């Protein structure tokens, strides 16, 4: 890939350092699928708040984008979360104040377990899972296609998420898949 992109100057079909591969697109959530939780990645502006529903079905997991919007206050997120079918909500634990604020609206929400190396370990765990996502999850599809590790000047994968990649729904899904699953 390095040769074709940097030496020959051709655009590759896949992003260099792409983190996830082999995910399937499905038309809808099967009736038998079981909702196991929601992932929430906080954002305000320019980054969006992102919510993804995670279902279990036939030995794999299905992701369905629920929300991807900027300029939402915690009150708006709480109202939106309360309107959805009940399930455990796992959010970015770096936002403890926001989590506590949403709890005050009667929403059961927990922070994802984080620590040194947790992102890398979480990515590795998710890479080992069978994942599908719904066709209507357009922002999730875009993030999935472009979610990549940062590439060094030598063309090597650094094992660090590329900060230029949008990863709001990817992070939200990882919170659920590594905390609940």
């Amino acid at each position: 890939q390095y040769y074709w992109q940097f030496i020959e100057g051709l655009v590759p079909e896949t992003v260099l350092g792409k983190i996830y591969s082999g995910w399937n697109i499905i038309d809808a959530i099967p009736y038998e699928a079981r909702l196991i939780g929601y992932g929430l990645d906080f954002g305000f502006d320019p980054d969006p708040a992102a919510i993804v529903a995670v279902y279990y079905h036939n030995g794999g997991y299905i992701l369905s984008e629920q929300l991807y919007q900027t300029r939402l206050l915690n009150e708006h997120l709480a109202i939106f979360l309360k309107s959805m079918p009940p399930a455990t909500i796992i959010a970015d634990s770096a936002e403890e104040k926001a989590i506590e604020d949403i709890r005050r609206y009667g929403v059961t929400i927990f922070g994802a377990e984080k620590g040194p190396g947790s992102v890398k370990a979480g990515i590795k765990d998710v890479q080992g899972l069978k994942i599908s996502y719904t066709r209507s999850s357009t922002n999730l599809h875009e993030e999935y296609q472009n979610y990549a590790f940062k590439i060094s000047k030598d063309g090597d994968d650094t094992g660090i998420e590329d900060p230029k990649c949008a990863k709001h729904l990817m992070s939200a899904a990882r919170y659920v898949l590594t905390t609940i699953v």
Side-chain angles (χ1 to χ4, degrees), residues 36-64:
I36 61 169
Y38 299 103
L40 167 60
D41 189 53
F42 293 103
F44 187 70
D45 195 14
D47 294 329
I51 299 175
V52 63
V54 180
Y55 295 83
Y56 179 78
H57 183 255
N58 287 344
Y61 299 91
I62 302 170
L63 309 179
S64 178

Side-chain angles (χ1 to χ4, degrees), residues 32-126:
E32 319 80 52
R34 180 175 52 94
L35 177 63
I36 61 169
Y38 299 103
L40 167 60
D41 189 53
F42 293 103
F44 187 70
D45 195 14
D47 294 329
I51 299 175
V52 63
V54 180
Y55 295 83
Y56 179 78
H57 183 255
N58 287 344
Y61 299 91
I62 302 170
L63 309 179
S64 178
E65 178 182 327
Q66 302 296 302
L67 178 78
Y68 198 83
Q69 188 173 340
T70 59
R71 307 198 57 79
L72 293 177
L73 302 174
N74 293 334
E75 175 184 11
H76 301 132
L77 291 170
I79 291 167
F80 185 84
L81 289 165
K82 285 180 83 164
S83 73
M84 298 190 315
T88 303
I89 302 161
I90 307 295
D92 183 354
S93 59
E95 299 283 343
E96 289 182 46
K97 185 176 177 183
I99 290 171
E100 188 56 40
D101 194 27
I102 290 172
R103 277 189 188 128
R104 292 174 190 235
Y105 289 94
V107 175
T108 304
I109 184 170
F110 302 96
E113 292 185 27
K114 287 180 140 184
S118 64
V119 172
K120 195 172 189 175
I123 287 170
K124 186 176 180 180
D125 289 344
V126 173

Side-chain angles (χ1 to χ4, degrees), residues 1-7 16-17 149-158:
Q1 288 178 337
Y2 177 85
Y3 172 81
W4 291 109
Q5 183 171 3
F6 293 104
I7 306 300
L16 284 177
F149 288 124
K150 191 173 181 179
I151 301 297
S152 71
K153 291 179 183 179
D154 297 328
D156 297 325
D157 173 343
T158 62

